Amino acid sequence: ALLFPSGMEKVVACLYKRPNALCRLICFPWAGGGTVRLAQWGRLFNSCIEVYSVRLPGRETRFKEPFAKDMMTVVNEIASVLLEDLQEKPFAFFGHSFGSYISFAVALHLKEKYGLEPVHLFISGAHAPHSESFLLIKRVHDTEDEDIVAHLKLLGGTPSELLQNEEFRKHLILIMREDIRVLQTFSFEKADRNIPLSCDITCFDGSEDIEHDLEAWGDVTTGDISIYKLPGGHFYLLEPANEIFLMKHITRCIENADL
């Protein structure tokens, strides 16, 4: 029997299948990122939580596919592939950086179209989508390849020996450009009367990273918001000690969500 209907294994990596889990944690990677690191989280959680890591077109096993042309395309694909699973049992979202915006866009779409909502939204290293700081990111246009490489070095998270490999570097720059382009097609207008979500939101950030406008995430939900700063830069979440903190905290939040 197929564990995943077709389309699913294209869009989702699930390394540790737990059919009896009470809740699924859907993880959305950073710009230029693949599924591997977050899919590995599956082994760190207890048997109550099954981890899915989302894979966008143009990378890993999907490298022959054209990149998504805008955020709506990304959201529609993820939502349609995951819909049955999301209707079947409770789910939470975790996104890092670019992945935070995708997770939020998917959450908005699910709420609007199907009345579905994550039990908890975990945001990492990202400005609120209606903040001034986010609008500034969207203005980043034709950056030179060298600037992108310098930016990647500054952020960390990519082994320097990989950046020295010309083919890898070219491919990563291409994916980064495409991901930034997708991000530029996403806009969220905050309406005072209509707060889109009702789930709790937790924001994580690296203490050495640039300041992100985290408080403003509270505007997008009627639920509670909490903020945690963990030691490290933009890729603080790759540090084993921080990873353990994230797992424990995410597990506690999901367990407290009255599934």
Side-chain angles (χ1 to χ4, degrees):
L2 270 179
L3 268 169
F4 280 152
S6 64
M8 181 66 111
E9 65 277 9
K10 189 170 81 165
V11 177
V12 165
C14 177
L15 299 182
Y16 300 87
K17 296 194 169 59
R18 300 203 166 123
N20 303 325
L22 298 178
C23 183
R24 288 194 181 93
L25 178 68
I26 320 287
C27 297
F28 299 80
W30 45 91
T35 55
V36 178
R37 192 61 195 248
L38 295 174
Q40 290 288 352
W41 278 12
R43 71 189 155 79
L44 299 175
F45 281 102
N46 64 31
S47 59
C48 297
I49 297 171
E50 183 175 48
V51 174
Y52 281 8
S53 185
V54 170
R55 182 186 296 114
L56 301 183
R59 65 210 76 198
E60 294 180 350
T61 52
R62 306 186 66 183
F63 74 97
K64 290 195 169 127
E65 293 179 45
F67 288 97
K69 53 181 196 307
D70 53 31
M71 184 65 97
M72 211 55 234
T73 311
V74 171
V75 167
N76 283 332
E77 181 186 51
I78 294 169
S80 62
V81 167
L82 285 176
L83 187 60
E84 270 183 48
D85 281 30
L86 301 181
Q87 286 170 329
E88 179 206 6
K89 63 173 72 165
F91 59 94
F93 282 172
F94 174 90
H96 178 65
S97 200
F98 170 62
S100 293
Y101 302 113
I102 300 180
S103 71
F104 177 63
V106 173
L108 287 181
H109 176 76
L110 290 169
K111 181 75 183 257
E112 232 161 79
K113 208 166 168 195
Y114 305 102
L116 279 175
E117 206 177 350
V119 295
H120 204 109
L121 185 58
F122 300 97
I123 294 297
S124 168
H127 300 293
H130 54 291
S131 64
E132 269 307 301
S133 318
F134 178 64
L135 298 177
L136 287 174
I137 303 183
K138 288 175 61 176
R139 295 198 190 107
V140 180
H141 281 294
D142 316 309
T143 2
E144 297 294 322
D145 285 3
E146 293 74 61
D147 296 338
I148 292 183
V149 171
H151 183 62
L152 288 167
K153 285 181 176 157
L154 180 74
L155 290 177
T158 313
S160 54
E161 59 273 15
L162 279 179
L163 286 175
Q164 278 151 16
N165 173 323
E166 195 184 352
E167 204 160 304
F168 176 85
R169 192 172 63 237
K170 271 191 179 148
H171 186 59
L172 185 57
I173 288 170
L174 174 66
I175 296 179
M176 287 290 291
R177 280 190 189 288
E178 293 290 340
D179 286 353
I180 291 167
R181 214 166 47 80
V182 161
L183 195 56
Q184 286 166 345
T185 65
F186 176 58
S187 62
F188 169 70
E189 302 295 324
K190 184 175 87 71
D192 294 325
R193 291 177 307 285
N194 182 18
I195 299 177
L197 301 175
S198 59
C199 59
D200 290 351
I201 296 180
T202 301
C203 299
F204 301 108
D205 225 351
S207 56
E208 316 292 306
D209 199 0
I210 60 161
E211 278 290 310
H212 288 108
D213 187 349
L214 303 176
E215 279 79 11
W217 279 102
D219 300 340
V220 306
T221 186
T222 53
D224 291 338
I225 176 168
S226 1
I227 292 171
Y228 293 88
K229 296 253 171 133
L230 298 173
H234 189 60
F235 283 99
Y236 75 91
L237 74 168
L238 303 180
E239 301 293 330
N242 288 338
E243 223 171 24
I244 299 299
F245 177 89
L246 288 168
M247 299 311 110
K248 286 186 171 158
H249 190 78
I250 290 171
T251 301
R252 195 161 62 241
C253 291
I254 288 175
E255 285 173 349
N256 289 341
D258 301 333
L259 302 184

